[in-house]
């Protein structure tokens, strides 16, 4: 297409030029020779004869512009045709990526140690400046080989993550890096900027070309301490600097207690763990692992989920799905018993080991039919329906068609209506 347009523009310009020379020679031999030898003479010629040849002048100008424009497109589309030719210098201007000489790039500007200190860097604090804005990081996590500096309670939080998975910190328990832009073996660095109007963060990644001084040492099994000074090649003298204490779990603690309102996968797993410990009691041996943990806070209702593999004291292994929601204060488990949790307790009841007392938790779970609901008014039950779902709460009222359950939600109560004909069985919970 570029070739066709260039040829068309060239033919149009040649035709209009020949007609201009015909008009110039028609005026006089001197005008014709001048326009032939010096094309700039066309300007005074058209000025002199404008009333008579204005259409010719406009077409001549437009054809020249088209020839130059489509000529540039043709040169960019076929840059190698002009190597070592008279137009090579022109090609280098319009298509610099194909020039014989390498492009001269400006060296990135980095923040100096003096500038970092002048911007308020203090010992014992970790802060950053990125794209002209300053950030303070209250939470540092080192898990799965990634060192993450996170903001808490910021309207548009920023997170800086340094990928150290290739450095095997877990084996030695310590790491020391001193990298310059000329070094090799850089860790991958991500800067993630979260905004409330979008579910996905804006991510800038740096693979090389930055300054990094990092000291990381393990203090206990789940805590690290260190110092970082990272200078970004972002063109705005961005940096991350400070001393830090990092935890292997993304949990926030206040006065020794875990803050359950903090949004992280580790918080979700902690709340689920406490729920299982409280409900399984001495029947629980240990929690084996967590799978598919996630949370979302971008919708009107914040929800979360995790799948927990637990080991019971009788040696059985169970996978339990736990759903959570966030009320005004914290993450809590939905007030609905989980079928897998009941199944784990049933296993204990059928084959109780010697270590379990003679009255395990499930001994309190009595099973009734839908015809017994009138006798259970005021009792805490779980209703299992024919579609496999479970509803939990206190029986508030029963009639011929419906069962009214009351369950706690946040700081109040919520009434739940279940059709009586859909109830398969009733289990007493209190």
């Amino acid at each position: 297409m570029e070739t066709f347009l260039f040829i068309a523009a060239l033919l149009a310009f040649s035709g209009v030029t020949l007609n201009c020379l015909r008009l110039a020679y028609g005026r006089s031999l001197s005008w014709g020779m001048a326009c032939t030898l010096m094309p700039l003479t066309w300007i005074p010629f058209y000025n002199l004869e404008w009333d008579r040849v204005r259409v010719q002048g406009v077409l001549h100008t437009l054809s020249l512009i088209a020839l130059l424009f489509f000529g540039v497109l043709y040169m960019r589309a076929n840059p190698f045709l002009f190597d070592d030719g008279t137009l090579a210098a022109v090609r280098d201007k319009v298509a610099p990526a194909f020039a014989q000489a390498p492009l001269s790039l400006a060296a990135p500007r980095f923040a100096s140690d003096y500038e970092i200190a002048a911007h308020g860097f203090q010992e014992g604090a970790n802060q950053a400046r990125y794209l002209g804005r300053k950030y303070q990081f209250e939470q540092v996590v080192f898990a799965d080989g990634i060192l993450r500096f996170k903001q808490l309670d910021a309207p548009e939080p920023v997170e800086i993550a340094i990928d150290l998975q290739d450095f095997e910190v877990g084996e030695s328990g310590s790491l020391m890096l001193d990298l310059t832009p000329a070094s090799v073996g850089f860790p991958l660095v991500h800067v993630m900027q979260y905004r409330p109007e979008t579910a996905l963060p804006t991510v800038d990644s740096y693979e090389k070309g930055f300054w990094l001084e990092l000291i990381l040492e393990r203090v206990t099994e789940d805590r690290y301490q260190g110092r970082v000074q990272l200078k970004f090649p972002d063109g705005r003298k961005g940096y991350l600097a400070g001393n830090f204490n990092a935890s292997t779990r993304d949990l926030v603690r206040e006065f020794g207690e875990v803050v359950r309102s903090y949004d992280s996968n580790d918080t979700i797993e902690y709340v689920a763990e406490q729920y299982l410990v409280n409900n399984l009691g001495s029947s629980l041996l240990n929690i084996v692992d967590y799978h598919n943990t996630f949370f979302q806070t971008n919708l009107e209702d914040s929800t979360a989920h995790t799948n927990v593999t637990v080991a019971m004291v009788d040696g059985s292994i169970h996978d339990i799905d736990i759903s959570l929601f966030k009320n005004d204060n914290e993450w809590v488990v939905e007030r609905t018993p989980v079928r897998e949790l009941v199944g784990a307790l049933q296993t204990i009841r059928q084959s109780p080991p010697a270590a379990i007392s003679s009255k395990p938790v499930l001994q309190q779970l009595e099973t009734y039919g839908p015809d017994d609901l009138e006798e259970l008014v005021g009792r805490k039950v779980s209703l299992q329906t024919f579609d496999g779902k479970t509803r939990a709460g206190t029986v508030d009222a029963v009639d011929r068609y419906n069962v009214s359950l009351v369950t706690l939600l946040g700081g109040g109560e919520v009434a739940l209506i279940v059709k009586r004909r859909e109830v398969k069985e009733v289990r007493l919970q209190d």
Side-chain angles (χ1 to χ4, degrees):
M1 178 59 73
E2 293 85 358
T3 303
F4 171 76
L5 294 175
F6 174 67
I7 293 176
L10 180 61
L11 292 177
F13 178 74
S14 300
V16 178
T17 300
L18 291 176
N19 190 55
C20 174
L21 293 177
R22 182 185 66 82
L23 294 173
Y25 279 105
R27 171 82 179 184
S28 67
L29 180 61
S30 58
W31 273 112
M33 294 296 295
C35 290
T36 302
L37 299 177
M38 295 178 294
L40 291 179
T41 312
W42 298 342
I43 298 176
F45 173 74
Y46 280 129
N47 184 54
L48 180 65
E49 300 287 335
W50 184 248
D51 292 336
R52 187 168 64 90
V53 296
R54 64 166 59 93
V55 175
Q56 162 72 25
V58 171
L59 292 176
H60 206 172
T61 303
L62 292 177
S63 64
L64 176 61
I65 295 173
L67 177 63
L68 294 175
F69 178 73
F70 292 122
V72 170
L73 293 183
Y74 177 77
M75 189 171 290
R76 291 176 63 89
N78 304 274
F80 300 112
L81 296 179
F82 302 91
D83 285 343
D84 302 324
T86 55
L87 295 178
V90 179
R91 187 278 313 275
D92 294 347
K93 294 293 184 181
V94 299
F98 299 94
Q100 298 298 314
L103 293 174
S104 58
L105 300 177
R109 301 168 57 201
F110 294 97
S112 66
D113 295 346
Y114 174 79
E115 289 174 316
I116 294 175
H119 289 144
F121 168 67
Q122 298 176 353
E123 294 291 335
N126 45 81
Q127 65 177 37
R129 186 181 67 173
Y130 192 73
L131 298 181
R133 295 180 58 187
K134 293 180 65 176
Y135 304 95
Q136 187 77 35
F137 298 98
E138 301 90 355
Q139 179 79 347
V140 184
V141 180
F142 180 60
D144 300 323
I146 300 179
L147 184 61
R148 303 164 62 191
F149 296 83
K150 306 181 66 174
Q151 281 188 293
L152 302 179
D153 301 325
E156 294 186 356
V158 168
E159 178 178 334
I160 297 178
I162 305 176
D163 190 346
L164 303 174
Q165 297 181 81
D166 296 334
F167 294 89
E168 301 179 352
V169 183
E171 295 182 4
S172 62
S174 63
L175 176 67
M176 181 178 295
L177 294 177
D178 189 1
L179 302 175
T180 70
S183 302
V184 295
F186 286 88
L188 189 61
V189 176
H190 302 287
V191 181
M192 291 164 281
Q193 302 177 73
Y194 297 88
R195 291 182 173 83
E197 65 270 12
T198 176
L200 297 176
T202 302
V203 181
D204 295 326
S205 299
Y206 299 91
E207 299 180 350
K208 57 183 179 179
F210 51 83
W211 293 81
L212 175 61
E213 297 178 14
L214 176 64
I215 299 175
L216 185 66
E217 293 183 354
R218 183 162 52 201
V219 180
T220 63
E221 188 64 29
D222 59 352
R223 297 198 66 82
Y224 289 80
Q225 66 180 14
R227 176 183 176 87
V228 64
Q229 183 166 286
L230 170 62
K231 301 176 183 179
F232 293 102
D234 59 346
R236 305 277 295 270
K237 294 187 176 182
Y239 67 87
L240 165 67
N243 299 325
F244 60 87
N245 290 295
S247 173
T248 57
R249 299 192 69 185
D250 193 7
L251 298 173
V252 175
R253 299 179 183 272
E254 288 184 359
F255 307 108
E257 297 292 330
V258 173
V259 178
R260 294 177 177 233
S261 60
Y262 177 59
D263 299 330
S264 73
N265 284 355
D266 285 322
T267 303
I268 303 304
E269 293 174 358
Y270 174 83
V271 174
E273 177 183 350
Q274 297 303 306
Y275 172 78
L276 292 174
V277 170
N278 293 337
N279 283 270
L280 293 177
S282 59
S283 303
L284 176 66
L285 178 62
N286 67 286
I287 294 177
V288 179
D289 199 3
Y290 298 91
H291 309 278
N292 302 322
T293 303
F294 69 87
F295 66 91
Q296 67 79 20
T297 57
N298 295 93
L299 302 179
E300 183 177 357
D301 297 322
S302 300
T303 59
H305 175 271
T306 185
N307 180 269
V308 190
T309 302
V310 298
M312 308 298 288
V313 293
D314 65 341
S316 60
I317 302 295
H318 301 270
D319 288 326
I320 301 177
D321 288 318
I322 296 182
S323 298
L324 304 91
F325 68 94
K326 193 174 188 180
N327 58 24
D328 295 336
N329 299 316
E330 58 186 21
W331 287 102
V332 294
V333 176
E334 289 186 359
R335 299 283 183 175
T336 304
V338 212
R339 283 178 294 171
E340 294 89 344
L341 182 62
V342 175
L345 290 171
Q346 283 178 332
T347 304
I348 297 294
R349 182 182 182 185
Q350 294 167 2
S351 306
I356 304 180
S357 62
S358 59
K359 294 183 179 180
V361 177
L362 193 62
Q363 292 293 342
Q364 302 175 11
L365 300 180
E366 302 179 37
T367 302
Y368 296 85
D371 296 333
D372 303 322
L373 285 168
E374 287 83 355
E375 304 174 8
L376 301 177
V377 174
R379 305 291 296 275
K380 186 175 181 181
V381 301
S382 66
L383 305 181
Q384 185 174 1
T385 57
F386 286 100
D387 59 1
K389 296 182 179 179
T390 304
R391 304 286 188 268
T394 302
V395 180
D396 183 58
V398 179
D399 58 29
R400 294 176 56 189
Y401 305 103
N402 300 307
V403 182
S404 176
L405 298 179
V406 175
T407 182
L408 297 177
L409 181 63
E413 295 181 342
V414 175
L416 177 67
I417 303 298
V418 181
K419 293 182 179 179
R420 191 165 179 172
R421 58 183 171 83
E422 296 179 354
V423 177
K424 181 178 180 181
E425 65 178 16
V426 184
R427 288 176 177 169
L428 192 61
Q429 296 294 302
D430 55 8

